[in-house]
Amino acid sequence: MKIESLEFKVSQGVEDGVKEIPKEHYVTNAFSDMTLHDQLAKNIRDYNWDKPLLVQRVAMRPISEGRDILVNAQTGSGKTGAFLIPIV
């Protein structure tokens, strides 16, 4: 099974339980959807990274908004980029 075809859900703890967050509130479909430093955006283009990997699409927007997140994904799925790209 390809990583890109996996289903995922994002939920948030609320006062009386857990609520699921609709994907359109957090998914980033392209690096160009993010406000990135010019040099970082150039480096991403130079590496021919066309679109974020699944874990990056799900994690980058909440991280760039300063939210705390927990990501559980296999090695090589793009977690390091998901955390570092918004931070840089």
Side-chain angles (χ1 to χ4, degrees):
M1 176 180 286
K2 295 174 90 174
I3 292 174
E4 295 300 308
S5 66
L6 296 175
E7 283 295 315
F8 59 90
K9 291 182 182 179
V10 173
S11 57
Q12 176 180 0
V14 292
E15 193 171 305
D16 58 347
V18 176
K19 97 177 164 180
E20 189 171 331
I21 302 170
K23 293 178 185 177
E24 59 271 8
H25 288 276
Y26 58 83
V27 171
T28 300
N29 291 309
F31 291 111
S32 60
D33 292 345
M34 298 184 66
T35 303
L36 301 174
H37 185 277
D38 292 340
Q39 186 62 50
L40 178 58
K42 179 187 178 312
N43 290 344
I44 288 171
R45 285 190 306 273
D46 288 350
Y47 275 96
N48 295 317
W49 292 350
D50 298 324
K51 64 179 184 175
L53 297 172
L54 178 61
V55 70
Q56 295 167 345
R57 289 194 308 248
V58 174
M60 287 195 305
R61 183 178 292 171
I63 292 170
S64 67
E65 293 173 352
R67 296 177 180 264
D68 295 330
I69 66 168
L70 174 67
V71 176
N72 182 8
Q74 69 187 54
T75 300
S77 61
K79 292 183 300 293
T80 302
F83 289 105
L84 291 179
I85 290 170
I87 291 171
V88 171

